[in-house]
Amino acid sequence: MFKTTYLAASAIAVLLSSTAVVLANDVVIQGGRVIDPETGLDAIRNVAIQGDKIVAISEFPLEGDVVIDATGHVVSPGFIDLHAHGQTIGDYRMYVMQGVTTALELESGVLPIGDWYEGQAQKSLPINYGASAGWTYSRIATFTETDPLATAAYFQDAQSHNHWKMDIASPEQSEQILALVEQGLKEGALGIGINAGYAPGYGQKEYFALAELAHDYRVPTFTHVRYASNTEPQSSFEAIKELIANAAITGAHMHLCHINSTSLSDIRTTLALVEEAQAKGINITTEAYPYGAANTVVGAAMFSGPDWRERMDSTANNFQLGADRMTEEQLADYQANNPGTFITWHFLDENNPENLALLDLSVTHPSTVIASDAVFWSYFDQNGQIQNYEGDEWPLPDNVFSHPRSAGTFSKVLRSYVRERGLLSLSEAIQKMSLMPAQTLEDSVPQMRNKGRVQVGMDADIVVFDPATIADLATFANANQPTVGVQTVLVNGGFSVRDGELVLDAPYGRPIRNAVTK
């Protein structure tokens, strides 16, 4: 499904004479194991950077104003996260400590897109950022007759209303929904975010029209499919078939978000569906994260109806708020009075070998990109209410909590799936976390053609890590623990992590954005 380019050895590296010393570069990464998943390079090399570009890759000495000793370390393309909801400075810092150099809000998206990019540009962010045009935002705005706001609170506050979640749009409403999404595309959105699991009552024609719009603009859709259920009707299988059918008919590229949590325990069947679609040339891509628990609002539509517990094999004990599991009384209270509260929902038990095997299938499948679905950091205020943390303290305050995937997704893959259990090779893992995400977007987003690779001429988004020690420390009981084992992170040639420490004032993140045509 993903393009592989094999280059001649002379194109893999710039091989300088053994006695030559070139003009000094800005930065040289010396003596590391350089892995480039596109060319297959996996060897000890020196990498030179000038400005924001890689300018040399050599087995011979290079000079630089700053020299990083990468002996015993891996030099990899920076990791690209296609599914990151946390978009504040604290969120980005937790990402970059894992080696993430680009974090994109694609599944949910936002509106208005122009407002969001302007707001992000003012934050002096350490990594690259971008977003899709959010269909749920357009639906909320249309049904509530409000103007959308490019904030998480706008989405959370709307959870107390059910009409945008469950009602078929009138012809006039449909026109407005599509118009708002199209305006987002004109303002440079990276695609259309279709968070259908939060508004499963939409009509088939509405989803089809979104796919047609994406095809017209030559951008992907990023869908959290409308159902998550092991049983029929309205099963995960049915929802993924709907996505595939729309892609097949319209020709749109449709990306299936977090196939692991969407499929629950039916992952074998849904992966087979994706395989068959791809084999027939249907433009489907997908992703997974390495945890048996999701994080979502407690008032999500999927947790409603008389039989949702049976369909999702869950009770209140599957829900975690902060460090504690919920009771049925707490669940009922939050769903009635604070439906926008984010909770952790355990859908697979990683301590159960059969459940872990299902999770492993989704993570190791050749078609799945690794994407975190990272969520906000939250805290209880003095009144016991949940608030999103938007401050700039580092380390993050002791009282904040989140899902561990917000701090450890990429390092968990390298620790658990590569080093400890050997389910992926190091090159396979790096490909899933860098090249494949770039390739998912590069046909529609020109900037991504220069990312996800360690090659001459590519963007200097690079992570240097110790394969023997890199590890996620975040747990469900205490997610507020940054990754360890990352030595250096360069974003557009600037240091965002240096000598294992976060660079607090790193301003090197740039917008990933399509052309503005409004």
Side-chain angles (χ1 to χ4, degrees):
M1 189 64 197
F2 290 90
K3 295 169 284 189
T4 304
T5 303
Y6 297 95
L7 303 179
S10 59
I12 291 175
V14 175
L15 302 180
L16 307 176
S17 72
S18 57
T19 58
V21 176
V22 299
L23 294 174
N25 301 285
D26 293 334
V27 177
V28 167
I29 304 171
Q30 180 173 278
R33 177 185 171 186
V34 177
I35 295 180
D36 177 59
E38 185 169 56
T39 61
L41 175 65
D42 185 346
I44 303 300
R45 292 288 186 268
N46 304 309
V47 179
I49 295 157
Q50 286 184 2
D52 58 1
K53 297 292 183 183
I54 298 169
V55 295
I57 300 173
S58 173
E59 55 186 296
F60 300 110
L62 299 173
E63 270 198 353
D65 295 334
V66 176
V67 177
I68 301 166
D69 182 4
T71 304
H73 289 63
V74 170
V75 181
S76 160
F79 305 142
I80 299 167
D81 193 348
L82 300 180
H83 193 154
H85 296 302
Q87 295 286 323
T88 69
I89 186 70
D91 301 311
Y92 282 52
R93 286 169 170 172
M94 277 295 197
Y95 302 155
V96 77
M97 290 298 291
Q98 301 175 63
V100 173
T101 53
T102 300
L104 306 175
E105 167 56 283
L106 299 180
E107 178 220 40
S108 183
V110 293
L111 287 177
I113 282 291
D115 290 356
W116 184 83
Y117 275 103
E118 288 174 13
Q120 294 300 91
Q122 296 171 10
K123 296 179 183 178
S124 190
L125 296 170
I127 62 175
N128 304 310
Y129 54 90
S132 66
W135 165 75
T136 52
Y137 281 69
S138 67
R139 230 176 186 262
I140 293 166
T142 298
F143 276 84
T144 60
E145 299 182 344
T146 60
D147 293 326
L149 299 175
T151 65
Y154 183 77
F155 176 79
Q156 289 175 273
D157 292 344
Q159 297 305 316
S160 58
H161 303 290
N162 284 325
H163 51 3
W164 69 271
K165 301 178 187 178
M166 304 306 297
D167 290 357
I168 301 289
S170 68
E172 294 77 18
Q173 288 174 321
S174 294
E175 184 177 350
Q176 173 70 359
I177 290 167
L178 289 172
L180 286 169
V181 171
E182 185 170 12
Q183 182 60 34
L185 296 177
K186 291 178 179 179
E187 293 177 8
L190 301 178
I192 304 175
I194 306 176
N195 219 338
Y198 293 86
Y202 66 86
Q204 292 266 345
K205 292 179 181 178
E206 185 174 331
Y207 192 18
F208 185 77
L210 290 166
E212 287 189 309
L213 182 63
H215 179 264
D216 290 345
Y217 276 80
R218 299 175 184 248
V219 296
T221 65
F222 306 92
T223 302
H224 174 155
V225 292
R226 73 160 101 200
Y227 305 131
S229 172
N230 293 315
T231 60
E232 295 186 297
Q234 298 185 348
S235 65
S236 302
F237 184 84
E238 177 183 337
I240 293 172
K241 272 187 65 180
E242 179 185 27
L243 180 150
I244 292 170
N246 283 346
I249 296 169
T250 66
H253 171 194
M254 301 190 73
H255 182 79
L256 169 60
C257 296
H258 48 45
I259 194 171
N260 54 324
S261 61
T262 296
S263 302
L264 306 178
S265 60
D266 204 21
I267 187 67
R268 290 187 176 88
T269 305
T270 58
L271 279 171
L273 262 182
V274 170
E275 287 175 358
E276 289 190 43
Q278 291 176 340
K280 290 176 170 60
I282 300 171
N283 198 356
I284 301 295
T285 53
T286 192
E287 66 183 51
Y289 56 79
Y291 295 90
N295 191 280
T296 184
V297 289
V298 72
M302 58 186 166
F303 304 131
S304 63
D307 61 346
W308 73 265
R309 289 170 172 80
E310 291 73 25
R311 294 171 64 81
M312 306 183 78
D313 193 22
S314 292
T315 67
N317 191 59
N318 292 79
F319 292 72
Q320 183 174 331
L321 181 61
D324 301 318
R325 298 295 182 103
M326 299 183 80
T327 66
E328 291 292 346
E329 292 76 15
Q330 283 179 310
L331 177 59
D333 177 57
Y334 271 89
Q335 286 185 326
N337 299 309
N338 295 284
T341 300
F342 275 84
I343 48 83
T344 295
W345 166 52
H346 296 265
F347 60 90
L348 290 176
D349 180 0
E350 294 178 54
N351 295 315
N352 179 317
E354 293 181 359
N355 281 192
L356 181 60
L358 294 175
L359 179 61
D360 290 344
L361 277 176
S362 64
V363 172
T364 61
H365 191 277
S367 291
T368 56
V369 168
I370 301 302
S372 72
D373 197 3
V375 290
F376 320 110
W377 292 91
S378 305
Y379 63 97
F380 290 100
D381 67 17
Q382 58 186 5
N383 299 316
Q385 299 296 309
I386 302 290
Q387 304 292 338
N388 294 338
Y389 178 71
E390 298 182 354
D392 61 358
E393 293 181 51
W394 185 261
L396 295 181
D398 291 340
N399 64 329
V400 302
F401 57 87
S402 185
H403 190 296
R405 67 192 183 196
S406 302
T409 293
F410 296 87
S411 47
K412 181 177 182 180
V413 169
L414 294 169
R415 173 188 62 79
S416 176
Y417 285 84
V418 176
R419 184 172 70 240
E420 295 179 354
R421 297 194 288 147
L423 298 179
L424 291 170
S425 71
L426 189 54
S427 293
E428 287 171 331
I430 289 172
Q431 182 177 22
K432 282 174 165 286
M433 298 189 295
S434 58
L435 178 64
M436 285 172 64
Q439 290 176 333
T440 299
L441 291 179
E442 64 185 25
D443 286 344
S444 60
V445 184
Q447 288 168 277
M448 300 308 291
R449 297 168 196 162
N450 292 323
K451 297 192 182 297
R453 292 106 164 152
V454 179
Q455 297 172 29
V456 172
M458 297 295 152
D459 293 342
D461 291 352
I462 296 175
V463 55
V464 181
F465 64 89
D466 184 347
T469 63
I470 190 168
D472 54 309
L473 302 183
T475 66
F476 288 107
N478 181 13
N480 187 9
Q481 301 184 82
T483 283
V484 296
V486 172
Q487 181 217 53
T488 302
V489 180
L490 294 171
V491 178
N492 298 304
F495 285 94
S496 288
V497 174
R498 191 167 186 177
D499 297 327
E501 299 293 331
L502 181 77
V503 179
L504 284 174
D505 57 352
Y508 304 110
R510 296 177 183 171
I512 307 298
R513 186 174 185 179
N514 277 327
V516 177
T517 60
K518 63 176 182 176

